[in-house]
Structure formats: C-alpha cells, structure tokens
C-alpha cells in the first residue's frame, strides 16, 4: 500500500516535461546531441531552453569513415572525460533520466 502512495506522488510530481528533468537534478543522466555526440554526466543545473551544467562528464563522439577500397562504412568512437561542461540547449536531441527501481 505504501508503494502505491509513493508511486502516485512521483506521477503527480511530473506534470510537465521539464519536471522529469527537475527530478534528475544531482543524478547521472544521458544526453544525446547533434553530430553523433553523447554525454553521460551529473546534472547540476538546467533552464527552460535545456541549457545544462553537467559535472563528471564522459563524452562519446561517433564518426563514420568510408573505406576507399571496399566502400564500407567504418564506425569509430572516441571518448573523453570532462570535469565540468556547459551544454547549449539547441544541440540537445534527447535527455534520459537515470533508471529508477522497477515498480
């Protein structure tokens, strides 16, 4: 019975799309950006434009190269760590909150 009331409280807390991001403050999130860039980091702040401040960020960049002999596409990804990062909201495609315990 207690689980039902806590579930209802979480559902009631999410009334607008940005509420889901508000609930993810100080949690690790996944952000997909334009140009095949992906970020995983701790959300410190955000605004209505989805500008975000992330900490302890791991950036993954995926590039596609064409082999000139076989004409096959080769996917390469590179990663780097960034201690603190400002993300401009107009480059954001997707924001995924942390995975919570299943109900």
């Amino acid at each position: 019975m207690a689980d039902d009331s806590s579930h209802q409280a979480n559902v009631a807390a999410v009334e607008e799309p940005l509420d889901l991001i508000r609930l993810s403050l100080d949690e690790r999130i996944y952000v997909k950006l334009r140009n095949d860039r992906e970020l995983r980091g701790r959300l410190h702040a955000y605004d209505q434009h989805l500008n975000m401040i992330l900490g302890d960020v791991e950036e993954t960049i995926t590039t596609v190269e064409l082999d000139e002999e076989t004409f096959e596409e080769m996917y390469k990804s590179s990663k780097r760590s960034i201690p603190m990062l400002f993300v401009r909201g107009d480059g954001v495609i997707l924001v995924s909150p942390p995975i919570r315990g299943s109900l």
Side-chain angles (χ1 to χ4, degrees), residues 37-71:
R37 292 177 182 260
E38 300 175 357
L39 304 172
R40 285 180 176 78
R42 186 166 303 280
L43 179 63
H44 290 284
Y46 71 97
D47 66 10
Q48 71 273 16
H49 305 288
L50 283 183
N51 295 322
M52 292 181 267
I53 305 290
L54 299 176
D56 300 322
V57 181
E58 180 183 89
E59 178 186 36
T60 304
I61 303 171
T62 304
T63 56
V64 180
E65 295 179 3
L66 190 63
D67 188 325
E68 294 179 9
E69 294 177 5
T70 63
F71 297 105

Side-chain angles (χ1 to χ4, degrees), residues 22-33:
R22 178 181 47 82
L23 293 172
S24 300
L25 277 170
D26 205 33
E27 304 263 352
R28 289 194 61 81
I29 62 169
Y30 168 81
V31 181
K32 184 172 178 64
L33 301 170

